Amino acid sequence: MKITLQHLCFLLILASLVILPFVNDSRTLIILLTQIFIFGILAMSYDILLGYTGIVSFGHAMFFGIGAYTTAVMLKQMDATLFTFLLSIVAGMFFAGIISFLVGLLTLRLKSHFFAMLTLAFAGLFLVVAEKWRTVTYGNDGFTFRAPDIFKDRITFYFFVLTCLVVIFIALYRFVNSPTGRILIAVRENEQRTKSLGFNTLHYKVIASVVAGIVASLAGSLYSLSLRFVNTSVMTMDITLDALLMTIIGGVGTLVGPLLGAAVIEYAQHALSGLARDNPIFERWIIFFGILYILAVIFFPKGIIGSIRIMFWKWNTRLKERRKSPATLPHKKERFE
Amino acid sequence: MELMVNLMINGLATGMLIFLLAAGLTLIFGLMDVLNFAHGGLFVWGAYAGIFTYMYTESFLFGILGAIVTGALLGLVTEKFIITPVYGNHIQQILITLGLMLVLQEMIKVVFGPNGVPVKTPSYLAGSWEIGDVIIIKYRLFIIIVGFVIFGIFQYMLKRTKIGLIVRAGVQDKEMAQALGIHIKQVFLYVFMVGAALAALSGMLMAPYSGVIYAEMGMEYAILGFIVVVIGGMGSFSGSLLAAILVGLAGSFMAYYVPVLSLAVNMILMAIVLIFRPQGLFTIRKERST
């Protein structure tokens, strides 16, 4: 594999993130970064659906919630050890995989509008289950649970989440660049044509839905452990909206985009709720996000990464042309004449 | 028997409220092919603007008018600035209207304050009649009547008048209607305004029914509206009416007999309908190019 500038950038960022806790051990910063990583994982999983396959799902919080509740319930009912936690992650991913497979099979045959609404309905159903199944979930109030001793230290947890993020990033990178991932992009671009080329598009869309579901469940597990508390808010529409917003702002159809989006949104949330102490208008920070979101859809549909890419691409072609220009330009002209 | 009648009246009243909400949605979707996720935002703005007008002028009728005007104005702004850039792109429509929903919902808290507002029914609509063991709450009867009247007016307008003809022509074939000299952009704008006004009206009527209004009610009821539109078949007026009544009745009977399922019953209904009949019970679009 050739090492490119991009790889070097990633390595540099990763290295600085690894060194950071030793240089600056501010608790808020560590917690904020952990939160960014967790939502980064969630947003990346959402981008598999929205950016790579071109389907809008409103049920993503469902898988996040499955992961969160599996971890929370298992840590509460069994000993709070590292083994239980790892087991709960696997169990959550397993459930999420099965449910996303079944839901995908049922819903992915439908067109975009109907699919969006049916996923909304399924997510609503799960929210109701979480609210009503009080013996396990304690309803709306939620419950606290003990974290494994090793994660009592915020910095250990930070490294654990960072490792998860890197692993998931590499895995998803491999996935979207695999033949299957390429077909997902083909589905996004033109489903009819993909179908007529002989691919069973439903099959591939279900694969995308299962992958996204499993990764979202992991994010949910990490999220509930980071709070050591879980309630039905992990199943609500807000989580899906957050993931959607992060993906759109960062840039759909890339993996770095959602990560960047997660960083921007989480940091903005943190900063704006800090500002709320000075001016009450900032308490309604969702308004800013809503406006940002509308503007992004109209003027900035490719997001941060997408726009940078286009800029870079234009710059690159111009550079190439200039390099060629004095000698080759007449050549070109001749050829056209 | 009396119990059945009571449950049916309750269900019918709820169904009618949901129908008013869904009517705007289905109108907008039917003609413009826009799925307006901000409908709940218009709904809650209607409720707040209407109730505040009502409290200020102490006239329920003025409240209703206030709600309708607010809805139409918001519809005007929304169509001009939010919907126009994204015609024809479903995914962008879903995303952008969702963003608008967030803004509208939060703006409620900025303008009217973050707390819920209790709402009183006007005196001439409060109270109930008792016929034997059947209790008829006046306000519910009022809603049922309003619902049927609105349904009648729209049915008449769509089927019998020239405006209806234009709208139906637009539904059938946008390009052809335009070629025949109909300013379809203008028609879109008016339809969107009417749809938004209907949303606002249903919000206003919902307020005394639920007794309290709060900013988050928009999304909750909008989901009900979507469910009804999907069950009924997108863009079909009669389908929405039937589906709304179905949802209302199912809700009221379930709440009595199987309370555990009452919250999920709508979702289950929608899931079943979509899985077996993805186009909904009724549908006006015979051919659709994707």
Side-chain angles (χ1 to χ4, degrees), chain A residues 51 69 121 153 156 192 198 212 253 336:
Chain A
Y69 269 107
D153 180 20
T156 326
Q192 288 300 322
F336 279 112

Side-chain angles (χ1 to χ4, degrees), chain A residues 78-277:
Chain A
M78 299 155 75
D79 310 333
T81 59
L82 184 63
F83 177 71
T84 319
F85 174 60
L86 293 178
L87 194 69
S88 78
I89 288 184
V90 175
M93 284 171 142
F94 182 69
F95 290 141
I98 288 177
I99 288 167
S100 62
F101 177 71
L102 293 177
V103 171
L105 266 191
L106 287 175
T107 56
L108 281 164
R109 291 175 302 140
L110 304 169
K111 292 198 183 104
S112 59
H113 282 140
F114 299 97
F115 172 76
M117 286 206 253
L118 198 55
T119 51
L120 192 66
F122 272 111
L125 214 58
F126 267 78
L127 180 60
V128 169
V129 169
E131 254 161 29
K132 291 285 159 188
W133 197 8
R134 297 194 78 88
T135 45
V136 175
T137 64
Y138 298 86
N140 208 5
D141 308 329
F143 58 93
T144 54
F145 57 91
R146 277 161 42 95
D149 288 329
I150 185 168
F151 291 133
K152 289 264 157 67
D153 180 20
R154 285 283 167 190
I155 292 178
T156 326
F157 187 59
Y158 170 88
F159 279 117
F160 182 75
V161 177
L162 184 60
T163 317
C164 286
L165 178 74
V166 172
V167 170
I168 290 289
F169 182 80
I170 293 170
L172 286 182
Y173 186 80
R174 300 295 302 216
F175 174 69
V176 296
N177 285 301
S178 70
T180 312
R182 295 286 125 186
I183 294 164
L184 293 183
I185 294 173
V187 170
R188 175 190 76 193
E189 294 301 330
N190 192 336
E191 187 169 352
Q192 288 300 322
R193 183 175 289 177
T194 317
K195 224 180 238 169
S196 65
L197 285 173
F199 295 106
N200 181 354
T201 52
L202 176 67
H203 180 82
Y204 288 97
K205 287 202 281 191
V206 171
I207 290 177
S209 149
V210 170
V211 169
I214 287 175
V215 176
S217 156
L218 172 69
S221 294
L222 295 174
Y223 181 73
S224 71
L225 189 67
S226 80
L227 295 182
R228 290 163 202 174
F229 168 76
V230 70
N231 71 356
T232 47
S233 71
V234 293
M235 289 263 190
T236 53
M237 189 74 192
D238 296 4
I239 297 285
T240 309
L241 280 179
D242 274 351
L244 193 66
L245 196 60
M246 287 163 185
T247 314
I248 300 254
I249 299 277
V252 289
T254 60
L255 284 178
V256 191
L259 282 181
L260 197 64
V264 170
I265 299 293
E266 282 295 320
Y267 179 74
Q269 254 174 28
H270 177 79
L272 286 174
S273 53
L275 278 176
R277 258 171 276 144

Side-chain angles (χ1 to χ4, degrees), chain B residues 166 177-190:
Chain B
I166 292 171
Q178 202 151 17
L180 290 173
I182 296 163
H183 196 340
I184 208 83
K185 281 255 166 68
Q186 210 74 20
V187 178
F188 275 15
L189 176 62
Y190 295 143

Side-chain angles (χ1 to χ4, degrees), chain B residues 34-54:
Chain B
V34 170
L35 188 62
N36 180 18
F37 271 93
H39 210 68
L42 301 168
F43 170 86
V44 77
W45 266 89
Y48 267 86
I51 289 306
F52 273 74
T53 323
Y54 165 46

